[in-house]
Amino acid sequence: AAVSGVAGGLMGGTTLAVTGPAAAISLLVIGAVHEHGLEALPLITLGCGGLQLISGVTRLGVAAKLVPVSVIAGFTTGVG
């Protein structure tokens, strides 16, 4: 997550950049790996990717745009 944050910062960004939320997701993945073991990591990764694909196909991003920027900023700032 730190590498993507630095790369995103160097290349510029947008208000919908995913480098901040990646840090939050990495903490969730670490917790799941701690609970279920390293052998569950491929399944966890595929599950996250599947959820992202489903979100894109069903256009859930439209709903995400309704969340105030201050809420998103607070969520991603709270991780660090």
Side-chain angles (χ1 to χ4, degrees):
V3 173
S4 66
V6 171
L10 291 174
M11 295 180 190
T14 67
T15 57
L16 300 175
V18 296
T19 54
I25 290 174
S26 66
L27 290 178
L28 295 174
V29 170
I30 288 171
V33 167
H34 181 69
E35 184 174 334
H36 300 289
L38 190 58
E39 56 276 351
L41 183 59
L43 183 61
I44 293 167
T45 304
L46 288 172
C48 289
L51 288 173
Q52 287 180 350
L53 284 173
I54 291 169
S55 297
V57 169
T58 58
R59 304 193 45 82
L60 285 175
V62 173
K65 288 182 180 179
L66 299 174
V67 178
V69 174
S70 58
V71 172
I72 295 171
F75 175 73
T76 56
T77 302
V79 173

